[in-house]
Amino acid sequence: MPRENKTQVKEFILLGMSDDSMAQILLFLAFLVFFTMTVVGNGAIIAVITFCPRLHNPMYFFLCNLSFLDICYSSVTVPKMLTNLLTERKSISFNGCIAQMYFFHVLGSGEMFLLAVMAYDRYAAICNPLRYTMIMSWRLTGQLAAAAWLGGFIHSTLHTALILRLAFCGPNHIEHFFCDATPLLVLACSDTSVDEVLILTTPGVLGPSCFLLILVSYSYIISSILKIHSAEGRRKTFSTCASHVMVVSVFYGTGVFVYIQPMSVYSAANNSFITVFYAVITPMLNPIIYTLRNKDVKGAITAILCREHKAVGKTEIVHIF
């Protein structure tokens, strides 16, 4: 049966996180700040890496991809959420809902794959330093980044195709601040058993597989670091991985609570709170983590600021004379 004959719902109502008008204003201001910091912070990292030649290597190419991904990741959900916090009718069209869910999963799973690729890059740099440029050629670097993005599109397309086969006859109130697969399954009026199995098994297979690759990479990395005789050398070597370890911990630590759980224990309130953290706050934290923990990025930012300051100083001198 074609989807048009089964689907009666033309739009969904996003209930959000609060019905209190004052709370909605406070949430709007908070999320506006988070979103602005996400765009500015990640945009700054992209600009610094682009305009600083000494950062033109695979590690920072992947970081540039991560920053761009985080900007897009937040842009899929936060602008609509900000709009709904200020409007009385918090609706989204059926097609808009499906598109939001599709791109959210593209970018979320893409980040999962990209973090695994970044772990492999650190393994190659630390465990095979003399062969690093040969192993991580620009061709392989581009292929790995493309594979991460492609993996996100394939994973999300499979999810979305199965959601589109369901019938949504009402109610149409989504107990969430954006369209996601699990809240949509709750509203479906047709058999969702296949979708529930996929939602549990796909993150339950892909997520742990990527995490296992990260763990294997870091087991070799730690083994190599322990062989370094100098304590200062061990510290400097591990500092190149510290930012990535923190980002991986935050990403997996929050995402696992949302997607690797059976529908029978699904809680909209708990999931909304956790989802806010990894969908809104985590993309904002990533540039802060990489800026505070990475000496190369801090050094590049300082160099750019000093160069701009000197340029302004020379301009003022010219104007004086």
Side-chain angles (χ1 to χ4, degrees), residues 192-225:
T192 62
S193 56
V194 175
D195 302 79
E196 291 178 23
V197 170
L198 179 69
I199 284 180
L200 285 175
T201 57
T202 305
V205 172
L206 289 180
S209 296
C210 290
F211 190 64
L212 180 61
L213 289 174
I214 294 172
L215 288 180
V216 170
S217 297
Y218 274 102
S219 66
Y220 283 104
I221 289 172
I222 293 172
S223 177
S224 295
I225 291 175

Side-chain angles (χ1 to χ4, degrees), residues 61-62 65-66 69 105-119 140-156 206 210:
F61 174 76
F62 292 133
N65 272 264
L66 180 65
L69 191 151
H105 282 277
V106 166
L107 298 164
S109 52
E111 180 161 347
M112 178 178 65
F113 295 129
L114 187 60
L115 290 174
V117 167
M118 294 173 75
L140 179 61
T141 299
Q143 290 173 341
L144 289 174
W149 283 91
L150 181 61
F153 278 103
I154 293 174
H155 174 241
S156 184
L206 289 180
C210 290

Side-chain angles (χ1 to χ4, degrees), residues 72-92:
C72 297
Y73 193 47
S74 291
S75 299
V76 167
T77 58
V78 178
K80 181 63 178 177
M81 179 177 63
L82 292 175
T83 301
N84 286 343
L85 286 171
L86 295 182
T87 57
E88 184 175 348
R89 183 169 177 78
K90 310 175 191 305
S91 62
I92 184 172

Side-chain angles (χ1 to χ4, degrees), residues 11 24 79 141 153 198 215 228 272 286 291:
E11 66 176 12
Q24 289 181 359
T141 299
F153 278 103
L198 179 69
L215 288 180
I228 300 175
S272 293
N286 286 351
T291 301

Side-chain angles (χ1 to χ4, degrees), residues 7 13 27 29 47 99 124 137 145 158 170 175 199 205-206 216 219 230 248 269 272 275 311 319 321:
T7 303
I13 306 300
L27 287 171
L29 295 174
S137 64
L158 180 60
E175 295 187 22
I199 284 180
V205 172
L206 289 180
V216 170
S219 66
S230 167
V248 168
S272 293
T275 304
H319 283 310
F321 290 98

